[in-house]
Amino acid sequence: MEINVNNTFFTGKFLLHLPSVDSTNNFAKNHIANSSPIDGTVIFADEQFAGRGQSGNKWQTEAHKNLTFSIIYQTSFLPATAQFLLNKAISLGVWAMLDAYFRLEKNKPIVEVKWPNDIFVNNKKIAGILIENTIAGMNLKHSVIGIGLNVNQCVFADGVNATSMQLVLEKSLDRNQILNDILQHIEKYYLLLKQQRNEVLDKEYLAHLYQKEKWTFYKKEEIVFEGKIIGIDQFGKLILETMTGKESFAFKEIQFL
Ligand code: BTN
């Protein structure tokens, strides 16, 4: 399949298309360590044999059917303490691309961002994001933004709560077109981040947040409790209202049930 990107200002203008790689994030990190990559470089793979997810999990996906790629951005403008804004911008870019595809459907599928940065459609995971930053002094230096998006995969392992664009739209899609669209949306939000339009990112992220303002069950250290998401703090912690008051949680501290 031919992959080329022609609708962005700089994201994906330099693109490496690999038939097979352990992980596009690993490849991107080595690329940063051994050269000075052009801002917006994209590493795209048809197959990953050791794809990585959040918290040391594996990202397993059918070869040639989905999108597995990493973007390298030069993020030295961003203080390390504000790095969650980058998660917001990227999540919103993926959210916006999917929403544009699904908006005109009869029973409009609900696209949401599950904190910190999974994308869900009708309560099932359709995309995952793994961001790995290098830091220099107080600021970030490079960010490797790894994205796995289920496009044309129709069968998932038992017990995996996942879906794909094809399952939602009931037709197969052109992966090159989806890549162009997703990069365009991501770049739009990334430029908002660069322009410090943080209020837009905060507002839109909250507007599309999964389970916001809904009482439901969460788990912390084997203790199940009821809570309601009411916001995200400046460091990206999840703020819940619970029976005992307001509490904030870092990623890994809390599990959605
Ligand atoms: C998650 O949901 O846990 C994050 C999944 C991120 C998967 C992508 S696929 C492209 C890039 N390379 C990797 O090894 N992981 C990310």
Side-chain angles (χ1 to χ4, degrees):
M1 185 189 57
E2 183 74 22
I3 292 280
N4 47 57
V5 175
N6 49 31
N7 57 354
T8 58
F9 293 110
F10 67 104
T11 308
K13 291 287 168 208
F14 184 73
L15 185 139
L16 274 168
H17 182 181
L18 310 169
S20 180
V21 70
D22 56 346
S23 144
T24 55
N25 267 37
N26 292 352
F27 191 98
K29 290 205 290 187
N30 286 332
H31 195 46
I32 292 169
N34 299 320
S35 66
S36 306
I38 299 167
D39 198 14
T41 291
V42 169
I43 316 294
F44 179 95
D46 288 316
E47 179 187 21
Q48 279 190 141
F49 49 86
R52 293 187 291 111
Q54 303 257 12
S55 313
N57 290 331
K58 290 189 180 131
W59 182 258
Q60 280 165 329
T61 178
E62 229 178 293
H64 299 275
K65 294 231 166 144
N66 300 306
L67 292 190
T68 43
F69 65 97
S70 302
I71 309 170
I72 300 173
Y73 278 140
Q74 282 167 16
T75 44
S76 47
F77 63 91
L78 193 63
T81 51
Q83 59 186 271
F84 195 72
L85 284 169
L86 179 63
N87 286 257
K88 286 186 178 171
I90 304 302
S91 303
L92 285 169
V94 179
W95 175 89
M97 185 282 289
L98 289 166
D99 190 66
Y101 268 85
F102 298 156
R103 194 176 296 153
L104 301 174
E105 287 300 287
K106 261 203 317 288
N107 296 318
K108 189 186 172 308
I110 300 171
V111 189
E112 290 168 302
V113 179
K114 182 177 172 214
W115 176 85
N117 48 15
D118 284 342
I119 311 298
F120 269 47
V121 176
N122 293 343
N123 296 315
K124 290 183 175 196
K125 183 160 168 171
I126 196 164
I129 301 168
L130 177 65
I131 300 181
E132 297 182 286
N133 300 310
T134 55
I135 296 179
M138 304 291 276
N139 282 14
L140 301 188
K141 191 163 183 236
H142 284 108
S143 298
V144 170
I145 292 147
I147 298 178
L149 169 68
N150 300 331
V151 181
N152 290 324
Q153 181 166 341
C154 289
V155 180
F156 294 92
D158 281 350
V160 173
N161 182 34
T163 190
S164 68
M165 294 182 75
Q166 174 161 350
L167 284 174
V168 175
L169 293 171
E170 295 176 343
K171 63 175 185 204
S172 126
L173 294 125
D174 174 2
R175 286 189 304 145
N176 187 43
Q177 183 61 51
I178 308 285
L179 180 71
N180 273 263
D181 293 340
I182 201 169
L183 293 180
Q184 193 177 32
H185 284 283
I186 287 174
E187 187 179 84
K188 178 188 135 192
Y189 281 98
Y190 182 70
L191 291 174
L192 286 173
L193 173 69
K194 273 194 126 169
Q195 292 154 10
Q196 297 184 326
R197 302 285 308 280
N198 302 350
E199 73 297 345
V200 180
L201 301 177
D202 292 344
K203 190 169 155 227
E204 288 199 28
Y205 186 87
L206 261 190
H208 306 304
L209 196 57
Y210 177 73
Q211 288 185 355
K212 194 183 65 144
E213 298 291 350
K214 285 187 191 143
W215 282 98
T216 180
F217 290 96
Y218 297 88
K219 187 162 137 184
K220 182 184 174 176
E221 292 161 357
E222 300 311 310
I223 296 171
V224 174
F225 63 95
E226 221 177 339
K228 181 174 89 168
I229 298 177
I230 53 172
I232 306 287
D233 75 11
Q234 57 166 319
F235 303 110
K237 285 187 165 185
L238 187 70
I239 310 171
L240 291 191
E241 187 179 317
T242 69
M243 299 303 175
T244 52
K246 216 164 89 172
E247 257 191 89
S248 52
F249 301 86
F251 183 57
K252 290 182 190 163
E253 258 180 8
I254 185 171
Q255 229 181 300
F256 285 62
L257 292 180

